[in-house]
């Protein structure tokens, strides 16, 4: 019986489930193969060095044998550490919470296909958390860049509805960004124009001062929730258990 060739790829562990006696099902965000579900055999035995590498917040290089068809789990047979972000993240509650939100967002934005941009955004966010940057700013920068990459970029200067030039003082997640006084649909948030400017800097990958952090996070989270709940979700969240 022909089997599909194995492959190696960079990966982050998104989540794990215990399976059988000593195995673990691991959901990986890979760089060139998208989201992959695989079984790692024997990794729950106490001395498994392989198992010790299949942890969150570790950039790993995995060896994977695909399942015989799409309904079968892959088998993960090896993992080498590329970069370890763990201690500095896990030992700090705010960094840990932000890192978990980065991974959960990435999982929801990923498909079963190559997305090196998304993978690299995750790696960059974890590196910035490890380095001690403001956790909420790092998370919001990740969300704004990753959702823009997914096709949901925000208009943060011009009105997202009528294109009137800013600066504006309101944000609407359904319309997709800043909204002018004339448009301002129901469900809009009041926001300081400087907070919109901070979001523009973050969405475009620029450094930004940690100012208006609460406002920026409130509307960035609203933007993410709106897009993940608006019908695209079913395409983007894998239902397979
Ligand atoms: Zn307008």
């Amino acid at each position: 019986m022909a089997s599909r060739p194995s492959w190696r790829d960079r990966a982050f562990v998104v989540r794990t489930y215990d399976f059988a006696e000593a195995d673990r099902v691991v959901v990986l965000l890979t760089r060139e193969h998208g989201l992959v579900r695989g079984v790692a055999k024997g990794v729950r035995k106490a001395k498994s060095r392989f198992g010790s590498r299949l942890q969150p917040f570790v950039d790993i290089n995995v060896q994977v044998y695909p399942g015989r068809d799409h309904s079968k789990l892959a088998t993960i047979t090896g993992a080498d550490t590329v970069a370890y972000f763990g201690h500095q993240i896990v030992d700090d509650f705010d960094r840990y919470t932000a890192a978990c939100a980065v991974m959960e967002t990435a999982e929801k934005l990923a498909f079963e296909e190559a997305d090196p941009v998304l993978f690299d955004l995750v790696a960059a966010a974890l590196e910035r958390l490890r380095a001690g940057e403001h956790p909420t700013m790092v998370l919001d920068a990740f969300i704004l860049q990753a959702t823009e990459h997914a096709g949901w970029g925000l208009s943060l200067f011009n009105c997202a509805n009528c294109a009137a030039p800013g600066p504006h003082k309101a944000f609407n997640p359904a319309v997709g960004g800043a909204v002018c006084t004339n448009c301002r649909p129901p469900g809009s948030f009041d926001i300081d124009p400087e907070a919109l400017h901070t979001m523009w800097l973050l969405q475009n990958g620029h450094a930004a001062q940690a100012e208006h952090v609460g406002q920026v996070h409130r509307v960035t989270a609203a933007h993410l929730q709106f897009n993940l709940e608006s019908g695209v979700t079913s395409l983007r969240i894998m239902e397979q258990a």
Side-chain angles (χ1 to χ4, degrees):
M1 189 180 299
S3 61
R4 295 195 284 158
S6 70
W7 45 263
R8 292 193 77 90
D9 198 354
R10 299 260 303 281
F12 287 105
V13 172
V14 174
R15 63 179 72 244
T16 64
Y17 309 89
D18 289 349
F19 184 66
E21 274 179 34
D23 304 343
R24 188 161 278 160
V25 172
V26 182
V27 182
L28 298 170
L29 177 73
T30 68
R31 195 167 188 279
E32 305 293 340
H33 299 79
L35 273 184
V36 173
R37 279 176 165 71
V39 183
K41 293 190 190 294
V43 295
R44 279 155 58 212
K45 291 173 186 160
K47 289 184 178 164
S48 170
R49 292 174 60 203
F50 173 32
S52 71
R53 296 186 185 110
L54 292 173
Q55 301 292 335
F57 320 131
V58 187
D59 183 346
I60 50 180
N61 190 310
V62 287
Q63 173 98 39
V64 173
Y65 287 82
R68 259 191 235 118
D69 61 63
H70 270 292
S71 65
K72 298 279 199 308
L73 287 168
T75 305
I76 304 163
T77 58
D80 299 314
T81 303
V82 176
Y84 180 72
F85 303 98
H87 283 309
Q88 290 99 328
I89 290 176
V90 174
D91 292 349
D92 179 282
F93 182 75
D94 290 337
R95 291 181 199 171
Y96 175 74
T97 308
C100 289
V102 165
M103 299 311 301
E104 186 181 343
T105 302
E107 180 186 15
K108 290 182 175 171
L109 294 174
F111 295 98
E112 292 175 303
E113 59 191 42
D115 193 344
V117 172
L118 180 62
F119 182 91
D120 292 348
L121 286 173
V122 171
L126 295 181
E127 170 56 29
R128 292 173 64 192
L129 289 171
R130 188 197 61 75
E133 290 191 40
H134 194 296
T136 310
M137 293 283 283
V138 172
L139 170 61
D140 289 342
F142 171 80
I143 291 171
L144 291 167
Q145 291 177 53
T147 51
E148 182 186 46
H149 172 63
W152 304 327
L154 293 169
S155 176
L156 293 163
F157 183 73
N158 292 342
C159 174
N161 191 50
C162 73
H168 298 302
K169 296 183 290 189
F171 177 93
N172 190 294
V175 177
V179 285
C180 71
T181 319
N182 291 334
C183 292
R184 202 189 156 110
S188 299
F189 294 78
D190 287 322
I191 188 166
D192 194 312
E194 290 178 20
L196 288 173
H197 180 62
T198 296
M199 291 172 70
W200 183 90
L201 291 171
L202 296 180
Q203 177 171 278
N204 289 285
H206 300 299
Q209 298 283 337
E211 293 168 350
H212 312 288
V213 174
Q215 287 187 55
V216 167
H217 186 62
R218 193 165 70 116
V219 300
T220 299
H223 158 63
L224 180 66
Q225 286 304 118
F226 174 80
N227 282 294
L228 291 181
E229 288 174 1
S230 65
V232 189
T233 314
S234 58
L235 289 175
R236 289 173 177 263
I237 301 176
M238 298 200 317
E239 311 277 45
Q240 184 188 336

